Amino acid sequence: MRAPEELNEVDWAALEHAYGPAGDVPEMIRVLYAQESPETERGENVGEELINNLNHQGSLYPATLAAVPFLAHLALHVTWHREALLEVLTRLAELGEWGVPAPESLGGRVRAAVLAELPLLMGGLTDPDPFVRQAAIRLACVGTRPADPAVLRTLADLYESDPSALTRADALTALALLDPDPATVRAREAAAIDDRDREVRLAAALSGLDRAEPPYPAALVAVVAADGAALPGSHRFTARPRPFPYPGAPHDRENELLTEDPEGALSVARAWIAAGDTHRWGSRLVGQVDQRWRDREAQCVAALAEALPLHQDGAERSSIVRAIAGLTPRAGDPGSHLRDLLLTEAAGDEQDYAAGSAYAPGVSGRESRRGKGHGLLWGDVEGPDDRAVVPQSAAATVTDGPEIVRPRSTGRERTIRAAQRVLARAEVVECARLALAGCGELRLLEQPGNLSGPVLATFLTHHRDEALPRLRPVLPELIARGSAELLDALGPDLAAAHLPQLKQALREHPTVAAARLLGELGPSGTDAETADLLATLDPTARHDVQAEAAVSRALITGDAEPAVETLRGLLRTQSPPGILPAVGRLGPLGAPLAPEVVVLLNDPRECGRSQAADAYWRITGNPRPVLPLLLTRAAPTTTYASNDTAWYDRRDALRVLAGMRTAGALATTPPELRPLLELCATSPRRVTWKDDDELRRLARTLLDEPMPS
């Protein structure tokens, strides 16, 4: 440890932290010795700013290593910062995602510096404050193995006799990790299953699950279901998982363990929901089951339907309805009870939600950065005081999605809370409509003018035949508004009957969807005015829109030279992934662009290589030169890794290969791909946290297997 008198012995200005030279670190540490809640001139908490500088979003810096001995001394000698600093030191020393950091790395040296301070800091295990004792227990768990016998004895004493049930539970979890005698660990946990405190029973059950193989023993699952339903967080801050995740364990240890056994996890979730769904623990667990396992959508929707009436808070209802909306297209008919619940939510009036509030925020509308047609749009909270009124347009549901407010300026807390209420209510309405569209609830179409583009697109994608008769009278107006989702779902058959509205959409809301759809109609479905409109597109339109417009004009007129020149210029000056899809759509007319596309097959930016391969075979008609690249990017493997970022590359490569297969350019699927394809097609687990449904569809396409109905 190093005392504050030694701060001047370090050349802090020569060291870096997250925001540059660390010359401000010594003064911050001195202030923390003197004051319990010091603030900077900007009104920020000094302690929070210091830790953010030294450990910004998990990153470490040279100044972090130099600061560890001073932070340890501060934790030992200043009671009001002890708990927070023990937590900080634990975080600095915790095992990384891939285990113990290399000793010579910065992370390894920071960890070694914290462990060197551990013997003196273990005095926190007997601190009068139970929260400090819990923080010291967590710090003990990052120590080397075997643990110090004195520490083990203290932990055993805490488990046996500490007056705080949460401290006893944390001590039991730590002993399961640190005690070198497995027989003692098992005996202690077996006895703890019948302990007087539910916190201890839950900790014992989770430690037992940690050693068990799924499907888990029913007795342990029953303990978690019964004792986890209303258990408070194991820390004064409710965001902390219950019980704490020891080093090397997932951040959310409880749900991570439970979801290894999906049936057990759903039974626990239903029990927690039946007990009131405190802090949405049950409904969150349902969502995590769906994120990890396939084909359980119907069970998840049924559980969420039970949870929804239990919540009055707008943000909580929003989260549950959003989850239902994502599941209903895959879950089948959710039943009349849930349909009626969702209809009630969908009929809500966002303006009425904020009406009557003297503290509703003022709103300055602003289009989403992603452009029109992307569901929820945002507005920024502004206004000189905290009594501004929400205008009636603040959360109106329009074709491009409801415009939502979010806090941006320095309004008071009550202003921000009012803004959040408006946001949550509007999102509940939109997500309820998406969920109803996903399950084909046609009663929602009685007022189609109030529905957003994503909702209408969901109807046309999943329930086209049933919804179309009701939508035909209003389609012209809706198409003219230019929702990208709606245009993507429209298809050439409907688009051909609404050419004037499509042209209006492109003229007023230039999007890739509108430009591409006009080209798909071809010369027989368009007119001379369409070609002129595509040629005179607003020059300020996005580059990918310009590319698609040029290609569509070529497909309509048969004159490819202007499109080739436009695309060649865009490929040289703009990001290729945004332009290459248009190049491929040009087909054989784009053959002059082959030299530019070949260069991009080895683009160091990587993100456009698969798109370049797709464009190359489409304009040349020859898939053979790009097959080796695509097979390399697909990287066949049978290893499941939910956090494997290589799945993005595999997905992009499989998209191209599936396109080749569908078009007949790939006669047979290469046999070396079969292990990967069979994994994607048949795995009961999701092979990636995102785009898993698309991966399964692509795999079945390449294996010539139909998707189940």
Side-chain angles (χ1 to χ4, degrees):
M1 292 188 179
R2 303 191 69 176
E5 293 78 17
E6 301 176 72
L7 282 167
N8 291 335
E9 297 177 10
V10 178
D11 186 3
W12 295 99
L15 301 174
E16 293 285 324
H17 60 40
Y19 298 98
D24 54 353
V25 168
E27 184 56 32
M28 288 184 178
I29 292 177
R30 291 190 182 98
V31 169
L32 292 175
Y33 274 99
Q35 301 178 45
E36 182 171 354
S37 301
E39 291 187 352
T40 65
E41 293 181 357
R42 301 185 300 276
E44 298 172 349
N45 182 281
V46 171
E48 291 178 0
E49 183 175 4
L50 172 64
I51 301 309
N52 185 56
N53 289 352
L54 298 176
N55 185 23
H56 181 66
Q57 297 182 350
S59 297
L60 302 176
Y61 308 90
T64 312
L65 179 60
V68 165
F70 296 101
L71 297 179
H73 187 278
L74 185 59
L76 187 64
H77 291 88
V78 181
T79 57
W80 53 69
H81 296 308
R82 184 167 296 155
E83 176 197 352
L85 286 168
L86 291 176
E87 294 276 3
V88 167
L89 291 167
T90 301
R91 190 162 67 245
L92 294 179
E94 278 182 333
L95 307 185
E97 187 176 350
W98 298 277
V100 181
E104 67 277 6
S105 68
L106 179 58
R109 288 182 288 152
V110 169
R111 175 176 168 80
V114 174
L115 297 185
E117 310 293 348
L118 213 59
L120 288 174
L121 293 174
M122 286 299 93
L125 291 171
T126 57
D127 194 275
D129 186 339
F131 294 116
V132 173
R133 295 198 297 275
Q134 291 175 49
I137 290 171
R138 295 172 188 127
L139 181 57
C141 288
V142 303
T144 55
R145 311 287 188 273
D148 187 314
V151 171
L152 286 175
R153 287 194 297 272
T154 304
L155 289 172
D157 290 341
L158 290 174
Y159 164 63
E160 293 291 343
S161 58
D162 196 279
S164 165
L166 291 171
T167 304
R168 293 184 62 227
D170 281 359
L172 181 65
T173 301
L175 285 167
L177 182 68
L178 299 175
D179 195 325
D181 184 1
T184 303
V185 170
R186 288 193 295 271
R188 186 186 293 118
E189 289 175 356
I193 287 291
D194 298 316
D195 195 88
R196 65 184 183 277
D197 293 320
R198 67 169 62 195
E199 294 90 342
V200 175
R201 295 195 297 267
L202 179 62
L206 290 176
S207 292
L209 294 182
D210 219 355
R211 289 192 302 275
E213 293 292 330
Y216 292 136
L220 295 179
V221 173
V223 171
V224 177
D227 292 324
L231 186 64
S234 64
H235 193 266
R236 71 179 76 199
F237 305 115
T238 57
R240 175 168 291 285
R242 319 166 300 142
F244 76 96
Y246 53 74
H251 177 66
D252 190 348
R253 174 178 174 241
E254 184 178 43
N255 284 357
E256 192 76 15
L257 280 173
L258 288 171
T259 52
E260 284 295 315
D261 177 4
E263 296 303 326
L266 286 172
S267 69
V268 169
R270 286 191 293 268
W272 290 356
I273 290 170
D277 200 26
T278 306
H279 298 306
R280 288 208 314 108
W281 286 330
S283 48
R284 287 178 195 273
L285 181 55
V286 170
Q288 290 184 329
V289 170
D290 177 65
Q291 288 175 13
R292 178 166 289 194
W293 297 93
R294 292 172 167 174
D295 304 324
R296 284 173 171 77
E297 290 85 358
Q299 294 167 277
C300 292
V301 167
L304 293 172
E306 296 172 6
L308 182 59
L310 302 175
H311 296 278
Q312 300 305 314
D313 177 77
E316 292 179 348
R317 294 181 73 83
S318 170
S319 297
I320 295 173
V321 176
R322 189 187 322 120
I324 293 173
L327 291 166
T328 49
R330 297 173 282 136
D333 188 354
S336 59
H337 173 66
L338 179 58
R339 287 172 181 258
D340 291 341
L341 277 177
L342 292 172
L343 278 168
T344 301
E345 299 291 346
D349 189 332
E350 299 92 329
Q351 288 83 7
D352 287 348
Y353 193 81
S357 169
Y359 309 115
V363 175
S364 172
R366 181 168 59 85
E367 183 179 331
S368 166
R369 287 184 181 179
R370 296 192 300 168
K372 289 186 177 295
H374 283 279
L376 303 182
L377 303 185
W378 295 92
D380 288 327
V381 176
E382 293 181 350
D385 59 63
D386 60 350
R387 290 178 175 269
V389 178
V390 178
Q392 288 296 302
S393 62
T397 303
V398 296
T399 297
D400 292 294
E403 185 179 84
I404 310 297
V405 296
R406 67 174 178 184
R408 181 184 66 128
S409 66
T410 57
R412 298 181 184 177
E413 287 188 12
R414 56 189 179 183
T415 302
I416 294 174
R417 285 197 298 271
Q420 290 169 338
R421 287 197 298 271
V422 175
L423 183 155
R425 183 59 195 147
E427 189 176 9
V428 166
V429 171
E430 173 70 356
C431 290
R433 291 169 177 170
L434 282 169
L436 289 164
C439 65
E441 178 50 75
L442 299 182
R443 286 178 290 175
L444 190 63
L445 296 177
E446 293 172 0
Q447 294 180 319
N450 293 330
L451 302 182
S452 69
V455 171
L456 296 169
T458 302
F459 269 118
L460 291 177
T461 301
H462 298 285
H463 306 282
R464 190 182 191 89
D465 293 340
E466 302 95 321
L468 196 53
R470 297 199 185 194
L471 286 176
R472 283 191 186 279
V474 295
L475 272 179
E477 178 186 355
L478 299 176
I479 292 171
R481 295 183 186 179
S483 165
E485 288 89 351
L486 177 60
L487 296 182
D488 282 336
L490 203 60
D493 56 335
L494 283 177
H498 299 91
L499 181 61
Q501 290 77 31
L502 272 177
K503 290 188 289 187
Q504 180 181 346
L506 181 66
R507 190 179 297 111
E508 298 178 1
H509 313 291
T511 62
V512 167
R516 181 186 295 132
L517 195 54
L518 286 168
E520 290 175 355
L521 297 180
S524 61
T526 54
D527 52 23
E529 184 188 20
T530 306
D532 293 340
L533 175 62
L534 291 165
T536 58
L537 190 69
D538 184 350
T540 64
R542 285 174 19 177
H543 299 104
D544 53 352
V545 179
Q546 294 179 26
E548 293 289 351
V551 170
S552 288
R553 183 177 183 278
L555 295 176
I556 291 171
T557 64
D559 180 11
E561 185 174 350
V564 167
E565 290 305 312
T566 297
L567 293 171
R568 182 176 286 122
L570 291 172
L571 285 173
R572 291 172 178 172
T573 60
Q574 305 301 325
S575 175
I579 311 302
L580 285 167
V583 174
R585 202 164 65 87
L586 197 53
L589 295 176
L593 292 169
E596 283 82 1
V597 175
V598 165
V599 172
L600 296 173
L601 291 173
N602 296 304
D603 192 315
R605 289 169 287 190
E606 294 190 359
C607 58
R609 292 182 187 177
S610 293
Q611 290 93 330
D614 188 45
Y616 181 85
W617 81 264
R618 291 184 185 276
I619 63 178
T620 65
N622 182 11
R624 285 192 295 273
V626 297
L627 268 177
L629 181 145
L630 293 170
L631 294 176
T632 299
R633 291 184 72 79
T637 179
T638 55
T639 302
Y640 168 78
S642 59
N643 61 348
D644 186 353
T645 56
W647 279 109
Y648 293 111
D649 292 336
R650 294 174 185 141
R651 176 204 61 193
D652 292 344
L654 290 175
R655 282 174 177 169
V656 181
L657 291 166
M660 290 180 176
R661 191 85 173 91
T662 302
L666 188 64
T668 59
T669 298
E672 58 266 40
L673 272 182
R674 295 198 73 87
L676 171 69
L677 298 176
E678 289 170 359
L679 169 69
C680 292
T682 64
S683 170
R685 299 174 68 122
R686 298 197 183 279
V687 296
T688 176
W689 71 277
K690 188 178 181 182
D691 298 325
D692 179 74
D693 291 324
E694 183 185 10
L695 277 173
R696 181 157 55 167
R697 177 182 60 78
L698 294 172
R700 290 184 180 276
T701 298
L702 287 164
L703 290 170
D704 294 323
E705 296 178 1
M707 284 289 288
S709 59

